[in-house]
């Protein structure tokens, strides 16, 4: 019997018990994390109110958000949170499901271990099942075109069903779809962060709008600069705008008061020279990633040129992209060619923050979402949801493969994996079946959260998946009916399911393997 790691005969039974306890404790810590988020799954999931150490409150049912804020010490539980983080980064949704699945895989493994099945068989079986499941997802997923707006909107609506903005899902699905459609790229998902969401207090969420242009959270450097500009020529500069010693004539020596005046005149002259460069080119807006001295700012203001300073990399890059400007490091080399263009620029206060808004940019593809709402936490919750939805739409466009949600895909996978288990000999067969049951935990939780009878409905769903034509039969927990969820528009990107399977099974196998290493070294000591 060889499993690739030293087999160590334990001295006493008590040590074995300790090891089992350690594993049980780890898995229980993970189950506790899963339990925390389980009740939030699906359209009927409950939101959680999170209160941080400073007393700030967030109300959300977004798994990733809840997990981010939990104060977790147990190492395996932290790994569980990392599974959620990875699906959040890769898909932008599905964190709660991923945590439920990973935790159930481990719980089921624990049961098998208690029946004296060695972890090695379980990890092997889980690996077989995960590979097979990902293959099945690819085979049965429905191929769509990236212009299929009906499907894209349905994917957005499905992602929003379980969120607080659900009552406004139609409005936000249209808004998010329009926003994502503005991005033209090979990989839309990577660019979805470019859609800036600006939160504005005071009005209702329904007043939120898609705005063609770029918002930068910066105010003009000098209050007497113009409030707004028309027909704007923009210079993007990556250099401190000040007068540095090196720019003075080295010959200047101050012996008497006239010399001081000469010195000051010279400083003025240098500033005038810079301003002349801007004026000759018709520049009326400066975006600087570094500092602008007060004096320089005052000179610009006097000439009717507006400026913002210390603009972060992400922001000035979006200005470059939107306005077609090229950044320069030396003002003396500035040419017409380097300038960007916008029809107008406005400096405005939205909520508590000051913004510079570039409108009618050279590149009309730059968009921002102005999110309006009454309370700060309503806005924060809506922003979290909107980010998820933008990601889901982008992922669907990039991958062009979708499946039906509301448990349909998990029921179909479980059915196919149970059949696959029958083809496998040995103890791995039990692990493949345990894997299938862990997938069913997601529909089971959706049913439970809807207050329905879980065993009864699960049995009904199993029975309904007879032929391949039944693959999208699932539960709609808004109407509490069983039916073809694809036709009902409950749709998710197939990539979400593959990612969940991959990250959940990898975590489970890692934990199961780590336990064996602990056991070996513990026994040796
Ligand atoms: N009308 C519906 N009926 C039943 N299930 C639905 C419906 N709409 C969406 N769902 C399901 O709800 C689940 C998603 O729930 P939820 O958004 O709470 O969790 P998540 O996406 O796993 O995690 P999170 O959104 O917190 O990152 C998916 O399985 C999805 O198919
Ligand atoms: Mg979700």
């Amino acid at each position: 019997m060889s499993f690739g790691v030293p087999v160590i005969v334990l001295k006493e039974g008590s040590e074995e018990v300790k090891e089992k306890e350690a594993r049980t404790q780890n898995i229980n810590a993970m189950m506790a994390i899963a339990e925390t988020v389980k009740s939030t799954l699906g359209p009927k999931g409950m939101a959680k109110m999170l209160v941080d150490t400073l007393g700030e409150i967030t109300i959300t049912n977004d798994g990733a958000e809840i997990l981010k804020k939990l104060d977790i010490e147990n190492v395996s539980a932290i790994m569980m949170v990392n599974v959620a983080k990875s699906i959040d980064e890769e898909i932008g949704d599905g964190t709660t499901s991923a945590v439920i699945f990973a935790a159930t895989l481990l719980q089921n493994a624990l049961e098998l271990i208690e029946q004296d099945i060695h972890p090695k068989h379980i990890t092997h079986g889980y690996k077989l099942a995960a590979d097979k499941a990902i293959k099945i997802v690819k085979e049965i997923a429905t191929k769509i075109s990236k212009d299929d707006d009906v499907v894209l909107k349905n994917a957005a609506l499905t992602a929003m069903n379980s969120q607080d903005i659900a009552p406004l899902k139609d409005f936000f699905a249209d808004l998010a779809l329009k926003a994502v459609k503005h991005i033209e790229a090979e990989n839309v998902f990577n660019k979805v962060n470019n859609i800036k969401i600006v939160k504005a207090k005071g009005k209702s969420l329904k007043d939120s709008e898609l705005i063609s242009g770029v918002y930068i959270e910066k105010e003009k450097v000098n209050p007497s600069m113009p409030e707004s500009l028309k027909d704007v020529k923009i210079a993007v500069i990556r250099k401190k705008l000040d007068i540095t010693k090196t720019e003075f004539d080295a010959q200047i020596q101050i012996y008497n008061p006239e010399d001081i005046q000469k010195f000051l005149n010279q400083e003025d002259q240098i500033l005038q020279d810079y301003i002349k460069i801007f004026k000759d080119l018709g520049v009326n807006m400066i975006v600087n990633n570094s500092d602008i001295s007060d004096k320089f700012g005052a000179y610009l203001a006097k000439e009717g040129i507006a400026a913002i300073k210390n603009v972060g990399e992400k922001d000035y890059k979006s200005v470059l992209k939107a306005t077609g400007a090229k950044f320069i490091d030396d003002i003396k080399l500035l040419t017409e060619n380097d300038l960007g263009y916008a029809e107008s620029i406005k400096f405005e206060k939205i909520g508590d923050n000051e913004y510079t808004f570039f409108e009618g940019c050279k590149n009309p593809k730059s968009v921002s979402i102005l999110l309006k709402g009454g309370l700060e936490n309503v806005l924060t919750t809506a922003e979290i949801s909107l980010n998820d939805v933008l990601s889901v739409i982008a992922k669907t466009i990039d991958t062009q493969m979708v499946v039906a949600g509301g448990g349909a895909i998990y029921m179909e996978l479980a059915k196919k994996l149970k059949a696959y288990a029958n083809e496998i000999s040995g103890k791995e067969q039990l692990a493949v079946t345990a894997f299938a049951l862990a997938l069913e935990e997601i529909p089971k939780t959706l049913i439970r959260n809807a207050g329905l009878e879980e065993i009864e409905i699960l049995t009904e769903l199993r029975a309904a998946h007879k032929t391949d034509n039944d693959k999208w039969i699932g539960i709609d927990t808004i109407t509490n009916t069983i039916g073809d969820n694809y036709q009902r528009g409950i749709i998710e990107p197939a990539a979400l399911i593959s990612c969940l399977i991959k990250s959940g099974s990898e975590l489970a196998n890692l934990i199961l393997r780590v336990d064996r290493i602990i056991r070996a070294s513990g026994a040796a000591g």
Side-chain angles (χ1 to χ4, degrees), residues 40-43 63 93-97 161-162 405-406 475-477 490 492:
T40 71
L41 186 79
D93 193 16
T95 55
T96 310
S97 308
N161 272 344
S162 50
I475 175 114
D476 178 349
T477 60
I490 303 174
E492 290 172 317

Side-chain angles (χ1 to χ4, degrees), residues 86 316 397 524:
S86 77
Y316 84 73
I397 290 177

Side-chain angles (χ1 to χ4, degrees), residues 142-210:
T142 302
K143 180 102 185 83
I144 58 144
S145 105
K146 61 178 173 200
D147 303 314
D148 192 336
D149 287 358
V150 175
V151 172
L152 293 176
K153 185 173 171 184
N154 280 335
L157 291 169
T158 303
M160 272 187 285
N161 272 344
S162 50
Q163 295 173 336
D164 299 289
I165 55 173
L168 296 174
K169 64 181 177 179
D170 207 63
F171 171 77
F172 277 110
D174 285 332
L175 188 75
L177 186 56
K178 254 193 238 153
V180 177
K181 289 245 147 171
H182 269 84
I183 306 171
E184 263 176 19
E186 277 290 295
N187 188 333
V188 180
F189 187 79
N190 282 349
K191 302 275 180 211
V192 90
N193 277 343
N194 290 348
I195 301 171
K196 186 135 188 169
I197 300 176
V198 180
K199 293 182 282 179
K201 267 195 257 177
K203 296 191 182 160
S204 107
L205 278 175
K206 261 210 127 149
D207 293 321
S208 301
E209 52 186 324
L210 189 67

Side-chain angles (χ1 to χ4, degrees), residues 339-371:
L339 303 180
Y341 180 79
E343 273 165 27
S344 74
I345 286 180
K346 275 186 227 135
F347 297 97
E348 50 188 340
K349 190 168 176 168
I350 302 176
D352 293 335
N353 303 317
E354 302 279 353
Y355 289 93
T356 305
F357 174 45
F358 298 71
E359 200 176 12
C361 299
K362 204 171 190 171
N363 173 4
K365 298 274 166 201
S366 293
V367 290
S368 308
I369 293 174
L370 198 56
L371 198 59

Side-chain angles (χ1 to χ4, degrees), residues 463-480:
H465 280 246
K466 284 190 209 82
T467 71
D468 286 349
N469 290 335
D470 307 321
K471 65 182 176 185
W472 299 144
I473 293 183
I475 175 114
D476 178 349
T477 60
I478 295 175
T479 58
N480 284 348

Side-chain angles (χ1 to χ4, degrees), residues 75-143:
V75 177
S76 2
I78 290 172
M79 289 164 78
M80 179 66 101
V81 174
N82 286 340
V83 165
K85 267 193 202 144
S86 77
I87 196 165
D88 194 34
E89 278 164 19
E90 206 164 307
I91 312 288
D93 193 16
T95 55
T96 310
S97 308
V99 166
I100 294 173
F101 173 60
T104 314
L105 271 184
L106 281 162
Q107 193 186 31
N108 293 355
L110 205 58
E111 278 171 23
L112 291 177
I113 291 166
E114 271 157 18
Q115 293 163 31
D116 279 336
I117 313 273
H118 197 281
K120 182 71 189 178
H121 295 299
I122 304 173
T123 54
H124 187 212
Y126 276 3
K127 174 85 177 75
L128 288 174
D131 289 349
K132 181 76 178 173
I134 288 171
K135 216 170 132 231
I136 300 170
V137 172
K138 265 203 201 116
E139 281 163 12
I140 68 175
T142 302
K143 180 102 185 83

